[in-house]
């Protein structure tokens, strides 16, 4: 791709590493950015720089924020005693958009996967078990995707926490094979309200 | 979207303005960037900043570059006497990837469109006519997309240049309704070699 100047080639190559963008759409995006370099490219460069400096993972729950402990973990308004377990931060955001869960979260950072050799130690499962004891958690709500790996992970966690707290999972409304981040807020609300014991 | 910190929300909103990315894919992209903030986010911020400072349109042909006159217009290796007219810079890059045209370009910046009220003055058509005289152009090759607006624009330019130089267009190999930037290099090469008089 030597047809553009080096600075621009470099930007295209980096943009092509974003999920959902290939080389062609990266080129289109970069040309769009150059056309709107005052209105969009410069602000985007600044916003990326700001986030690259400030963004970090919450040491307690794994949520993304700008402080050592995220806003949700730090908030005194959030209910203590229950944790909602999600696979990744996008799912946490989907739960927050539904605005029905008032407790705190725990972000696993993925699911158990024999195929990809992801075991409990690769996820935040040991930290989850520690939190259940340390924070006197009485209910863990598993809001994992309705995929095979998501459900395998749910059963593993339910087994690990047996006798330590009640473990429930989102139920009604989550379609088979569905991913939380694709669902509308109402579906997530219904699934949370109708949660059942695992 | 108040579920993420303000810096991160701001970045998501800007990313969602990129062509091909909606709010959901922008959130996914930003989370990916945050996970790879050292390897991808910081370099991307730097690359965007560099391009936002250096990128400009060539005053002669409309190509994107980092100098007042682009590398192609400035190159003494490019043939004089023929101009390849394209709709936008992505098409110029597609022609360059095919590596078969040795002359210089003229980027219109779009096509004539009655619907969108785009007339010749909104494009670089007056500049094209001036270049044909100033640069002693003997052949203008129209490499416009095989769309209705592209072909309307080709006919308008051919009429305007009648008697001033020969006007040809890419022919064999460009599918009906096809866009240059989607084609493989071989197709573009064949179409250029088999160009015909308009
Ligand atoms: Zn947290
Ligand atoms: Zn130029």
């Amino acid at each position: 791709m030597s047809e553009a100047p080096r600075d621009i080639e470099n930007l295209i190559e980096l943009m092509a590493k974003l999920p959902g963008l290939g080389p062609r759409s990266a080129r289109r995006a970069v040309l769009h950015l150059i056309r709107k370099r005052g209105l969009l490219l410069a602000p985007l460069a600044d916003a990326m720089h700001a986030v690259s400096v400030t963004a970090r993972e919450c040491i307690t729950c794994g949520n993304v924020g700008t402080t050592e402990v995220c806003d949700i973990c730090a908030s005194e308004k959030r209910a203590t005693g229950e944790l909602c377990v999600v696979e990744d931060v996008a799912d946490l955001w989907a739960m927050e958009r539904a605005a029905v869960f008032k407790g705190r979260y725990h972000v696993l950072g993925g699911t158990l996967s024999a195929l990809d050799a992801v075991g409990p130690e690769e996820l935040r499962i040991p930290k989850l078990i520690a939190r259940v004891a340390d924070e006197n958690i009485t209910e863990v709500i598993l809001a994992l995707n309705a995929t095979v790996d998501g459900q395998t992970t749910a059963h593993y966690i339910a087994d690990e926490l047996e006798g330590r707290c009640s473990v429930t999972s989102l139920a009604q409304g989550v379609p088979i094979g569905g991913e939380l981040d694709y669902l509308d807020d109402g579906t997530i609300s219904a699934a949370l309200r109708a949660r059942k014991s695992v």
Side-chain angles (χ1 to χ4, degrees), chain A residues 41-56 64-67:
Chain A
L41 180 55
L44 196 50
D46 291 344
M48 285 188 172
H49 178 74
V51 170
S52 79
V53 170
T54 59
R56 53 197 303 176
V64 152
T66 56
T67 44

Side-chain angles (χ1 to χ4, degrees), chain A residues 118-162:
Chain A
V118 179
E121 302 294 328
E122 275 74 49
L123 305 176
R124 282 191 198 82
I125 290 178
K127 174 76 180 173
L128 171 63
I129 293 163
R131 285 186 75 188
V132 167
D134 296 347
E135 300 179 23
N136 296 312
I137 300 299
T138 55
E139 181 180 1
V140 163
I141 302 167
L142 301 174
L144 303 180
N145 292 324
T147 56
V148 171
D149 283 343
Q151 295 311 299
T152 301
T153 309
H155 285 293
Y156 178 86
I157 292 173
D159 285 350
E160 290 294 306
L161 293 178
E162 189 163 7

Side-chain angles (χ1 to χ4, degrees), chain A residues 9-191:
Chain A
E9 274 307 321
N10 182 35
L11 179 54
I12 293 170
E13 280 170 29
L14 288 167
M15 288 291 285
K17 293 182 182 172
L18 287 176
L21 288 187
R24 182 176 183 280
S25 46
R27 284 197 298 269
R28 288 270 165 195
V30 167
L31 284 172
H32 182 79
L33 286 169
I34 290 173
R35 273 192 296 271
K36 299 193 180 284
R37 53 193 177 277
L39 272 171
L40 186 53
L41 180 55
L44 196 50
D46 291 344
M48 285 188 172
H49 178 74
V51 170
S52 79
V53 170
T54 59
R56 53 197 303 176
E57 282 169 1
C58 172
I59 56 167
T60 302
C61 77
N63 184 19
V64 152
T66 56
T67 44
E68 192 174 38
V69 172
C70 76
D71 292 349
I72 293 173
C73 285
S75 169
E76 296 189 355
K77 291 182 186 158
R78 308 295 295 218
T80 55
E82 54 185 33
L83 286 181
C84 177
V85 175
V86 290
E87 289 178 22
D88 62 31
V89 175
D91 295 331
L92 185 160
W93 289 351
M95 290 293 299
E96 284 294 283
R97 284 198 298 279
V100 68
F101 177 66
K102 300 303 179 198
R104 298 200 172 95
Y105 292 93
H106 194 77
V107 180
L108 294 179
T111 51
L112 295 175
S113 167
L115 210 64
D116 300 324
V118 179
E121 302 294 328
E122 275 74 49
L123 305 176
R124 282 191 198 82
I125 290 178
K127 174 76 180 173
L128 171 63
I129 293 163
R131 285 186 75 188
V132 167
D134 296 347
E135 300 179 23
N136 296 312
I137 300 299
T138 55
E139 181 180 1
V140 163
I141 302 167
L142 301 174
L144 303 180
N145 292 324
T147 56
V148 171
D149 283 343
Q151 295 311 299
T152 301
T153 309
H155 285 293
Y156 178 86
I157 292 173
D159 285 350
E160 290 294 306
L161 293 178
E162 189 163 7
R164 306 184 196 214
C165 66
S166 86
V167 178
T168 58
S169 70
L170 298 193
Q172 181 194 327
V174 180
I176 301 299
E179 297 196 326
L180 241 59
D181 192 26
Y182 279 94
L183 301 180
D184 63 291
D185 303 349
T187 304
I188 291 179
S189 298

